[in-house]
Amino acid sequence: MSDERGGFGRGRGRGRGDRGRGRGRGRGRRDDENVWVPVTKLGRLVKEGKIQSIEEIFLFSLPVKEAEIIDFLLKEKLHDEVMKIMPVQKQSSAGQRTRFKAFVAVGDSAGHIGLGVKCSSEVATAIRGAITIAKLNVVPVRRGYWGRKGGMPHTVPCKVTGKCGSVRVRLIPAPRGTGLVSSPAGKKL
């Protein structure tokens, strides 16, 4: 029957005659999708196992340029918390252009914390970018005692003041179990 129509009888398929051209529908490529290939010297050293802990990076003040280094060293202990998502607007000739600014804190609850800020036209993209930036900004937090030096350090070692813009934050050492006397955003940190 297909001979009568001049060779156009194969109506099934995608018109390529099953010769295997094109990229297909993405089957069979899942194994190499999430493999981290380091691009910096520090990344290669971490992947080879020559740098075992994040303290070695902080000890020599090495710049971390890949978020995967933090993922590799802190593994399952890393938690991220979305602090705030706020819309920001820019006036254009056609009206306002709304974008979303995401603030994300990343930490392991053991003395390492990072803060990331990212602005994007979509909320999910802004959060993803802020998490990556927060991982690149991870710093160690020095902890100390209040009163007796028993057990693990539980508070800041001395009075600390931080300022950004018009906001001033002051951390004061307190006894174990006091908790934070702070706003909800400060408690998340």
Side-chain angles (χ1 to χ4, degrees), residues 55 108-113 139-146 149 151-158 160 171 173 176 189:
E55 267 67 37
D108 64 347
S109 303
H112 302 105
I113 192 165
V139 293
V141 177
R142 190 165 164 228
R143 294 184 293 173
Y145 298 94
W146 186 91
K149 292 179 174 65
M152 295 294 290
H154 62 276
T155 184
V156 287
C158 56
V160 184
L171 299 176
R176 198 183 300 271
L189 276 176

Side-chain angles (χ1 to χ4, degrees), residues 5-6 8 15 20 31 34-35 42 49 65 78 82 101 106 110 124 144 148-149 154 157-158 187:
R5 296 178 57 213
F8 296 106
D31 54 346
N34 289 329
V35 175
L42 178 63
K65 304 278 188 192
L78 208 61
V82 178
K101 197 172 190 178
V106 165
R148 258 188 334 188
K149 292 179 174 65
H154 62 276
C158 56
K187 284 185 179 177

Side-chain angles (χ1 to χ4, degrees), residues 2-153:
S2 64
D3 295 333
E4 296 170 13
R5 296 178 57 213
F8 296 106
R10 291 178 60 192
R12 292 177 297 279
R14 289 193 287 176
R16 294 187 191 141
D18 295 307
R19 288 188 297 272
R21 279 196 244 137
R23 290 173 52 186
R25 283 183 279 180
R27 276 178 266 147
R29 289 186 44 148
R30 286 186 175 79
D31 54 346
D32 61 323
E33 191 176 303
N34 289 329
V35 175
W36 170 43
V37 179
V39 290
T40 59
K41 188 174 182 181
L42 178 63
R44 284 192 286 276
L45 290 172
V46 168
K47 187 147 188 195
E48 290 167 7
K50 293 185 178 169
I51 293 179
Q52 299 289 332
S53 70
I54 197 165
E55 267 67 37
E56 293 177 50
I57 295 173
F58 294 138
L59 183 65
F60 297 106
S61 301
L62 300 172
V64 178
K65 304 278 188 192
E66 298 177 77
E68 290 86 0
I69 293 172
I70 304 297
D71 285 332
F72 193 88
L73 293 173
L74 297 180
K75 293 185 181 62
E76 311 302 315
K77 296 178 269 184
L78 208 61
H79 303 291
D80 51 69
E81 178 79 41
V82 178
M83 307 283 285
K84 187 177 183 180
I85 297 169
M86 56 185 275
V88 289
Q89 289 185 332
K90 174 185 174 182
Q91 189 71 37
S92 65
S93 58
Q96 287 111 348
R97 196 183 88 193
T98 304
R99 296 168 81 201
F100 298 96
K101 197 172 190 178
F103 296 85
V104 175
V106 165
D108 64 347
S109 303
H112 302 105
I113 192 165
L115 186 66
V117 181
K118 177 74 175 158
C119 195
S120 179
S121 57
E122 295 177 12
V123 175
T125 314
I127 291 172
R128 226 176 299 123
I131 288 172
T132 305
I133 292 168
K135 286 176 185 173
L136 295 176
N137 291 334
V138 168
V139 293
V141 177
R142 190 165 164 228
R143 294 184 293 173
Y145 298 94
W146 186 91
R148 258 188 334 188
K149 292 179 174 65
M152 295 294 290

